Amino acid sequence: MYFKFTFCPIILLLWASLSFAQNVNVVIHGAASIAKTDDNFVCVTLDWWPAEKCDYNQCPWGKAGILNLDLRYGALINAIKAFNPLRIKVGGSLQDNVVYKVGEVSSCPNFMKREDGLFGFSQGCLSMERWDQLNRFFNHTGVKLTFGLNALFGRNESQTEKGLWIGDWQPQNTRDFMQYTISKGYKVDSYEFGNQLSGSGMGAKVDAKQYGKDVIVLKNLVKELYAHPETQPKVLGPGGFYEEKWFNTFLEVSGQGIVDGLTHHIYNLGPGVSDVVNKFRPQLGAWVSESGGALNGGSKDVSRTFADGFWYLDQMGMASTYDQKVFCRQALIGGNYGLLNATTFVPNPDYYGALLWHRLMGSTVLAVTKESDPDLRVYAHCAKKKPGVSLIFINLSKDRSFNITLSNSKPGDAGKPNYEFVGKQNREEYHLRALTGDIKDDIVCLNDVPMVQTDSEDIPAMDPKLVDASTPISIAAQSIAYVTIRDFEAPACV
């Protein structure tokens, strides 16, 4: 049951006032950007898992899978519309086990548990009736769509090496699916080729040279069917865990101009894939096309709580500084790690953190330096669509708050002292913390107001607190804050 509070309990304010405050100076290097993200950096996934998907004696997916999600719920619709637009990637572990009921494919089986099947399931099917329903939903909610294609179609599992799938990819089913999609006028921003088939794979794998040859076939198919470059979907791949040798071989075989975005999955961020991007330079750089705090559905006691935001928002901050263009969270709904509750569609705390990022953090990433303190994470971007800079502060300390003063580095004066920034306009601040003070709470407060849906299932107002620019920025213990400063002069943001 969800209760509607007007304010977070006053005990939190008393608790915050008793915590030890540490003064920290943060320097924003606004002369030049260190990275660029896509305007729609925040991304979420919709997965194929049926209700029978179970791990660790729990079955948390329910009816949240692509084939059985009820698309009529106002809470679901409003949660997506609030992003205007939200990037969604349709895909997941079972996507390489999905056929499309179109063209020569007449049978449309449901996923069934099967011990010798990929990830323990038989082949499944996407009917065009369901594809029509999904596209009406995507169009209504303004989704920017990435669709994960079946990259195992036509292959067979090797008789000599378990998990290795051999043979050429057969594109006919994908061709028929794309032709149907085009005939209906459905908009697809990008197609991702396969899921977790790279390197050692997850459940299945494809040799790097074979994958490179097949992605060329896919690229040529997209160019053939989508004749106009301005409406041509991007081709992404390989959508798996990074292994340097496999990625290098695949990119050497496919060559430049084939893969528009290099996609990889992470469950903790490492910079290695950035080296590959610098070497091969795919047109759209690197994307994190799947990431979660924990594999196999997430942690039921953490992933849906405020505590998860310390991983999630910090990971997005790190990804942006590594020049990752898109960051896809597993998942919008389903498992234990959805941004929305799998049965009520009520937003979990991470939803509000993601929505604030999408609204406030622009695509230009700025360097930040501060006194060394592992409990305070800071990331800075040019503000989105308006002047100034936006920062996110993540305070991991249980008992210390931080009083932040800002300094601005002088353009062209390397090695010279930075100067303290003194603003004239009020700052816009958004402070997030757990309702009860326990970070495992599943209700988050924004500026001391609990975030709960309205009676009409709308997302509540998320207004900033206007703060006198002459005062330090105060970040309470175990809290997260976004701060936008409109009169901060950063040449990179002009």
Side-chain angles (χ1 to χ4, degrees):
M1 181 178 294
Y2 289 82
F3 299 94
K4 292 192 176 180
F5 300 87
T6 304
F7 295 102
C8 292
I10 194 68
I11 190 172
L12 285 181
L13 301 178
L14 296 174
W15 168 74
S17 67
L18 294 174
S19 63
F20 170 70
Q22 179 175 333
N23 297 326
V24 176
N25 182 253
V26 171
V27 181
I28 301 174
H29 301 270
S33 66
I34 59 169
K36 286 275 190 178
T37 71
D38 188 85
D39 285 339
N40 299 109
F41 175 73
V42 176
C43 166
V44 293
T45 67
L46 282 175
D47 212 304
W48 293 99
W49 289 120
E52 294 78 15
K53 164 64 173 171
C54 304
D55 294 290
Y56 317 117
N57 298 316
Q58 54 172 321
C59 306
W61 282 91
K63 293 186 177 181
I66 294 164
L67 297 179
N68 52 22
L69 177 63
D70 192 331
L71 304 173
R72 299 170 297 176
Y73 279 94
L76 175 63
I77 292 169
N78 293 337
I80 296 174
K81 277 187 169 183
F83 280 81
N84 189 33
L86 177 61
R87 183 186 292 278
I88 289 181
K89 189 195 83 166
V90 170
S93 298
L94 293 180
Q95 80 179 51
D96 295 302
N97 223 17
V98 177
V99 298
Y100 319 121
K101 188 185 177 185
V102 62
E104 298 176 356
V105 175
S106 56
S107 176
C108 199
N110 293 321
F111 288 117
M112 303 289 290
K113 280 197 168 184
R114 178 176 158 182
E115 192 170 325
D116 62 344
L118 189 61
F119 294 102
F121 284 91
S122 66
Q123 191 176 74
C125 171
L126 173 64
S127 70
M128 292 304 96
E129 291 78 12
R130 181 59 174 175
W131 185 229
D132 293 339
Q133 294 170 6
L134 287 165
N135 277 279
R136 286 193 292 269
F137 176 77
F138 295 149
N139 184 61
H140 178 57
T141 54
V143 164
K144 198 172 201 57
L145 179 65
T146 294
F147 187 86
L149 293 168
N150 180 347
L152 292 184
F153 195 90
R155 306 187 204 270
N156 295 297
E157 188 170 7
S158 169
Q159 298 297 308
T160 58
E161 184 176 349
K162 184 174 176 58
L164 176 66
W165 287 66
I166 57 177
D168 294 334
W169 175 64
Q170 300 299 314
Q172 187 61 50
N173 192 222
T174 292
R175 171 186 286 274
D176 293 337
F177 174 69
M178 286 185 181
Q179 287 178 324
Y180 180 88
T181 299
I182 294 167
S183 73
K184 291 288 188 175
Y186 299 151
K187 296 179 181 178
V188 177
D189 175 74
S190 45
Y191 288 108
E192 186 176 38
F193 189 51
N195 184 81
Q196 295 179 341
L197 302 175
S198 58
S200 302
M202 284 282 287
K205 62 183 178 181
V206 173
D207 177 77
K209 291 182 179 179
Q210 181 67 59
Y211 184 94
K213 291 191 296 183
D214 292 330
V215 82
I216 293 173
V217 174
L218 173 60
K219 182 68 171 184
N220 289 334
L221 179 61
V222 169
K223 290 170 69 174
E224 174 195 341
L225 298 181
Y226 292 87
H228 301 290
E230 62 272 15
T231 61
Q232 195 174 97
K234 296 175 279 290
V235 171
L236 311 175
F241 292 108
Y242 175 69
E243 292 185 20
E244 183 177 4
K245 182 178 179 181
W246 192 100
F247 270 62
N248 283 345
T249 301
F250 138 60
L251 289 169
E252 286 168 355
V253 171
S254 61
Q256 292 192 355
I258 299 299
V259 174
D260 298 300
L262 186 68
T263 55
H264 62 115
H265 296 180
I266 56 174
Y267 283 81
N268 65 327
L269 186 68
V273 74
S274 298
D275 297 333
V276 176
V277 171
N278 292 335
K279 181 178 179 182
F280 293 99
R281 300 192 179 279
Q283 181 181 345
L284 301 175
W287 294 26
V288 178
S289 62
E290 182 181 314
S291 185
L295 287 165
N296 294 330
S299 170
K300 67 182 181 68
D301 297 321
V302 176
S303 297
R304 60 181 176 80
T305 71
F306 181 71
D308 198 64
F310 294 104
W311 157 77
Y312 177 42
L313 298 175
D314 190 40
Q315 189 112 84
M316 286 209 294
M318 285 192 287
S320 66
T321 63
Y322 279 122
D323 208 28
Q324 307 292 298
K325 305 306 180 185
V326 172
F327 188 96
C328 294
R329 159 71 177 257
Q330 174 80 345
L332 172 64
I333 188 166
N336 291 305
Y337 43 28
L339 290 185
L340 308 178
N341 182 286
T343 54
T344 66
F345 301 97
V346 169
N348 289 322
D350 278 353
Y351 172 88
Y352 295 103
L355 183 54
L356 284 172
W357 182 293
H358 179 74
R359 290 178 174 178
L360 302 175
M361 307 292 276
S363 60
T364 300
V365 186
L366 305 175
V368 174
T369 55
K370 63 177 179 63
E371 292 95 334
S372 178
D373 192 313
D375 286 340
L376 178 65
R377 310 292 173 84
V378 187
Y379 303 98
H381 289 219
C382 295
K384 194 164 191 176
K385 297 181 180 179
K386 292 182 180 180
V389 299
S390 290
L391 301 100
I392 179 171
F393 298 91
I394 303 170
N395 186 350
L396 303 174
S397 175
K398 293 181 179 179
D399 53 15
R400 282 185 301 157
S401 60
F402 292 98
N403 290 329
I404 310 294
T405 56
L406 297 178
S407 292
N408 196 344
S409 63
K410 291 185 178 181
D413 287 354
K416 293 187 177 182
N418 302 301
Y419 62 93
E420 183 175 347
F421 168 74
V422 180
K424 296 180 180 179
Q425 297 183 29
N426 287 338
R427 296 189 302 267
E428 301 166 19
E429 298 189 359
Y430 304 78
H431 293 265
L432 299 169
R433 64 186 183 200
L435 174 67
T436 63
D438 182 350
I439 61 172
K440 290 189 177 181
D441 202 319
D442 61 2
I443 297 180
V444 61
C445 290
L446 171 60
N447 293 337
D448 299 328
V449 178
M451 292 288 98
V452 292
Q453 286 183 318
T454 66
D455 291 335
S456 60
E457 299 183 311
D458 287 326
I459 299 303
M462 300 176 68
D463 299 321
K465 178 172 65 173
L466 300 180
V467 181
D468 188 332
S470 65
T471 62
I473 300 168
S474 182
I475 312 298
Q478 292 189 326
S479 74
I480 298 167
Y482 288 92
V483 178
T484 296
I485 304 169
R486 296 296 176 196
D487 56 346
F488 192 99
E489 295 181 3
C493 301
V494 176

